[in-house]
Amino acid sequence: MLRNRRKAAGLTQKQLGERIPLSQAMIAGIELGNEIPTAPTGQLIDDAVGADGELAAMWHHVRKDLQQQALFPIWAHGYLEAEREATRIQHFAHVFPGVTQTEDYARAIFESAAPLFGGDIEEKLEVRMERRSILDRDDPVWFWSILDESALYRVVGSHEVMCAQLTHALELVKRPRVTFRILPYDKGMPGGVVAIGAVLLLSRPGKNEAVYWESGLNGALLEIPSEVGVYRAFYDHLDLEVLSPRASTELIRKAREEHHAHCTRH
């Protein structure tokens, strides 16, 4: 794309490089896709060839993709792309899903995981907060989450953090496309070992249903129908055991009050 824009502007690689300034070899590398300019340099190149922000925006997305690939395990990369494409996501886990987390809740999770997995906490946090945009776009994803009841009571970070997270969840359920349902303690867990970690079923336009699972050091995005079918059956059986949306909302509200009581004692 840069090559076409440069030629349309009547510039050679050397002439364009002199305007930035960058070496001709660097310009050639960017045109071949072997080099990605920094944000300021990318904007200078964009201005020089009259791309009206198109090149700068493209490189911004490329840098974000590279950042995500560096921050997260390889088996999560496919999910991040699928999440952006999804029109419906069905989730189950023992913690609130990433796109519904407050900043403090997410930070507490990353901080607790840092001794085992390392990585830059603030960079991971930035990516996670940006992922929440799938709930805020003009045509937001339908997001249905089944949470084990333990997610409401296990303290992530502090009672204050939990109060804020539960308050955020109560605000989210006011949206027509977001639903939380709770699997209570007194119900069985269908699927046994399948239920360990997180399970997400994703519907995407023009593609087969996919499932993403993760647990500890492992995870995968599955698209083979026979494999997806196992997790679809698990989720459908799980759906029979959970509380209604109304009862789940009341339980979230009750849990928030209990965390709040701990906050006010100190």
Side-chain angles (χ1 to χ4, degrees):
M1 185 180 293
L2 172 58
R3 183 172 182 269
N4 292 337
R5 288 285 190 172
R6 172 179 60 76
K7 287 191 171 185
L11 298 171
T12 66
Q13 290 180 344
K14 182 178 180 181
Q15 289 170 334
L16 176 58
E18 289 173 347
R19 293 190 178 190
I20 306 306
L22 285 175
S23 68
Q24 182 178 347
M26 179 62 75
I27 295 295
I30 294 172
E31 288 187 354
L32 291 171
N34 297 328
E35 301 286 348
I36 306 298
T38 63
T41 299
Q43 188 60 58
L44 289 173
I45 296 173
D46 189 289
D47 293 341
V49 299
D52 296 323
E54 185 177 3
L55 291 174
M58 177 187 72
W59 287 320
H60 170 76
H61 290 300
V62 170
R63 285 192 299 271
K64 285 295 182 184
D65 287 343
L66 291 174
Q67 179 191 36
Q68 289 185 359
Q69 291 176 22
L71 288 174
F72 300 102
I74 190 168
W75 38 263
H77 298 168
Y79 172 74
L80 294 173
E81 179 180 353
E83 183 183 74
R84 290 191 293 267
E85 297 175 345
T87 55
R88 183 183 68 181
I89 298 176
Q90 293 168 274
H91 161 273
F92 169 73
H94 296 74
V95 296
F96 280 89
V99 297
T100 70
Q101 292 175 3
T102 66
E103 185 172 331
D104 287 339
Y105 185 91
R107 179 180 282 108
I109 289 176
F110 287 136
E111 287 176 347
S112 66
L116 298 176
F117 301 105
D120 188 299
I121 291 174
E122 293 305 316
E123 287 187 353
K124 288 183 177 182
L125 187 62
E126 179 183 357
V127 172
R128 179 153 297 184
M129 294 300 99
E130 288 181 354
R131 286 172 52 204
R132 300 192 303 182
S133 64
I134 65 171
L135 301 178
D136 299 321
R137 62 197 185 196
D138 292 339
D139 185 23
V141 66
W142 291 87
F143 197 92
W144 304 333
S145 176
I146 293 177
L147 289 172
D148 186 77
E149 188 174 353
S150 62
L152 307 183
Y153 293 100
R154 187 174 304 282
V155 178
V156 174
S158 67
H159 289 290
E160 287 82 2
V161 169
M162 290 301 299
C163 279
Q165 176 60 52
L166 294 168
T167 298
H168 183 56
L170 291 171
E171 289 299 315
L172 286 176
V173 297
K174 295 177 182 178
R175 305 184 186 189
R177 296 194 180 187
V178 178
T179 301
F180 286 108
R181 299 179 70 190
I182 307 302
L183 178 67
Y185 287 131
D186 61 359
K187 294 294 184 179
M189 181 76 73
V193 70
V194 172
I196 297 174
V199 174
L200 298 102
L201 290 150
L202 303 103
S203 299
R204 299 165 296 169
K207 297 183 179 181
N208 290 335
E209 184 176 46
V211 64
Y212 175 73
W213 68 268
E214 65 176 17
S215 178
L217 293 172
N218 297 295
L221 181 71
L222 307 175
E223 298 180 272
I224 298 174
S226 60
E227 296 178 334
V228 173
V230 173
Y231 289 90
R232 165 52 63 194
F234 159 72
Y235 201 91
D236 289 346
H237 281 84
L238 187 67
D239 194 56
L240 298 173
E241 302 292 335
V242 298
L243 300 177
S244 69
R246 182 187 297 274
S248 296
T249 297
E250 288 306 311
L251 190 56
I252 292 172
R253 187 173 286 112
K254 175 186 174 184
R256 182 182 62 173
E257 292 172 356
E258 293 187 23
H259 285 291
H260 182 68
H262 285 281
C263 295
T264 56
R265 291 174 189 169
H266 300 287

